[in-house]
Amino acid sequence: MFSLLLDTVLPEALEEGVPEDLPRHWRNRGWSEIASLLAASDYSFDERRAALSREAVEQRISDCRSVIL
């Protein structure tokens, strides 16, 4: 969903003067953040950290869904 949102706003963002390399940075940062949270939720030995990571992933998915829907 993050990619869909980014692809949707990208043409207008570029028209508004967003540097062309910045959306690539946003996409990479988004994927890195989700990968890190998923890894922590699945592989952390600290159950509290794993739970917080799962909650963070769910919140980000919820945020994306609320914008799309």
Side-chain angles (χ1 to χ4, degrees):
M1 283 191 247
F2 175 77
S3 289
L4 176 64
L5 289 172
L6 184 55
D7 290 341
T8 302
V9 300
L10 188 54
E12 189 171 327
L14 293 174
E15 285 179 13
E16 293 293 322
V18 169
E20 287 189 32
D21 62 330
L22 194 54
R24 182 176 47 83
H25 173 74
W26 292 338
R27 189 180 310 274
N28 291 341
R29 185 171 177 201
W31 282 112
S32 295
E33 180 182 10
I34 291 300
S36 176
L37 289 170
L38 289 173
S41 70
D42 287 343
Y43 303 117
S44 179
F45 293 113
D46 181 347
E47 184 52 41
R48 184 175 186 284
R49 180 172 182 217
L52 289 172
S53 295
R54 284 189 294 275
E55 290 174 18
V57 168
E58 290 301 319
Q59 182 61 50
R60 281 152 180 79
I61 291 171
S62 177
D63 291 346
C64 286
R65 282 187 179 145
S66 70
V67 172
I68 291 172
L69 301 176

